[in-house]
Amino acid sequence: MRRPWSDVAIKECGEPLQSLRGTFLCLEPHPYAKLGAPYGDQGDPFRLRASVIARLVRAQNQLIQHPDPEVGPLQLLVLDAWRPVSVQAFMIEHAIEEECGRRGLNPSKPQWQTALDEVKREVSRFWAPPSEDRSMPPPHSTGAAIDLTLADQRGAALNMGGAFDAIGSESLPDHHASAAKANPNSPEALWHQRRCSLHAAMKQAGFVRHPNEWWHFSHGDQLWAWTVAESIAVYGRVDGDACAAASSSATRSSPSRFT
């Protein structure tokens, strides 16, 4: 499924990936590595572009100033960050298999083809295609996108009213908004408030949120550029420790005006 932001031009700035470890709480073991995703020798997934990490520090500081009503001071818990295209392809197949299992489908049987096609369409709402075309890279392959949630000061993840990577409406950012409005003392109201707190901290730091995922944020990639009406993205696909030389344009561009 082609995304509405796929046509945004990319002028790769060449900024390197840097580690999130030691600065942010990172989920261990890494959820996709645990499944056997093919990272190979491509390096640590808990990495982002340097300027994106600086913004993440700002979001973390913002959260510290706004404690959760139940658990007090908060911190970010990083679920996933940089992701090579090979892992993107692996995880899409895994998501399809998981969803088929949840629905009781056997994808090998011809009579289930229509139902299988529906599963693939639903999965594609949440997982970007593993495109090898450098003009339309999967967001996580750019080192500019991150999946995260909220945790308390002990490192325990908070209940956000929907599991990370869930395929379904509970993953939509405002899924609990109506229930929260109807009953401000309900669990749904707390979950909605937490999603709003995460979004507010990330937005203040310059990130945009994926329209279908409460946990996915980015800065400087095509989704970000499309959302904020910028004409170009400054981060294209990056492979391991080396930034992509060029994507849709050979012209270099400094990311400074976006920081």
Side-chain angles (χ1 to χ4, degrees):
M1 179 187 295
R2 189 176 181 85
R3 289 352 192 203
W5 48 85
S6 297
D7 293 329
V8 174
I10 304 170
K11 292 185 178 180
E12 170 60 53
C13 67
E15 192 174 283
L17 293 171
Q18 292 184 0
S19 179
L20 295 164
R21 297 179 188 275
T23 304
F24 298 96
L25 180 65
C26 297
L27 181 63
E28 295 286 6
H30 185 276
Y32 304 156
K34 183 171 64 174
L35 293 171
Y39 286 95
D41 59 358
Q42 298 185 79
D44 187 359
F46 289 122
R47 293 181 293 167
L48 290 175
R49 304 290 188 127
S51 294
V52 180
I53 292 177
R55 290 183 175 277
L56 204 59
V57 170
R58 285 169 50 185
Q60 177 75 82
N61 292 337
Q62 177 77 359
L63 278 174
I64 293 172
Q65 300 173 30
H66 297 86
D68 183 83
E70 283 200 349
V71 303
L74 299 174
Q75 63 178 315
L76 296 171
L77 171 58
V78 181
L79 306 170
D80 186 40
W82 173 75
R83 186 189 306 158
V85 177
S86 59
V87 172
Q88 187 78 11
F90 175 92
M91 288 306 303
I92 288 173
E93 290 303 312
H94 175 78
I96 291 171
E97 182 180 333
E98 287 265 296
E99 190 62 13
C100 283
R102 192 178 71 84
R103 299 186 187 193
L105 305 179
N106 185 340
S108 66
K109 294 185 176 181
Q111 62 265 39
W112 292 111
Q113 187 59 51
T114 299
L116 176 59
D117 290 343
E118 174 57 31
V119 167
K120 290 180 177 179
R121 281 193 294 272
E122 185 68 7
V123 167
S124 72
R125 294 179 61 208
F126 301 94
W127 288 91
S131 174
E132 292 287 354
D133 183 348
R134 288 188 178 272
S135 71
M136 46 184 296
H140 281 275
S141 73
T142 67
I146 186 169
D147 295 334
L148 39 68
T149 187
L150 297 176
D152 63 23
Q153 287 300 297
R154 296 173 300 145
L158 303 190
N159 188 339
M160 302 290 282
F164 168 53
D165 276 349
I167 304 297
S169 61
E170 67 268 31
S171 294
L172 300 178
D174 291 331
H175 176 70
H176 298 295
S178 295
K181 184 177 181 180
N183 183 358
N185 297 314
S186 65
E188 290 84 359
L190 178 61
W191 301 334
H192 182 64
Q193 182 268 323
R194 286 173 174 171
R195 293 185 182 195
C196 289
S197 294
L198 176 60
H199 183 214
M202 296 297 284
K203 183 178 180 180
Q204 184 274 336
F207 291 89
V208 300
R209 183 172 59 185
H210 192 288
N212 294 335
E213 300 173 352
W214 61 260
W215 59 81
H216 177 116
F217 296 85
S218 65
H219 177 87
D221 64 354
Q222 288 175 303
L223 170 58
W224 169 86
W226 177 80
T227 303
V228 302
E230 284 286 349
S231 60
I232 62 167
V234 296
Y235 300 125
R237 173 178 157 185
V238 58
D239 299 311
D241 293 320
C243 284
S247 46
S248 57
S249 170
T251 304
R252 292 285 181 175
S253 173
S254 168
S256 59
R257 73 188 184 95
F258 299 120
T259 58

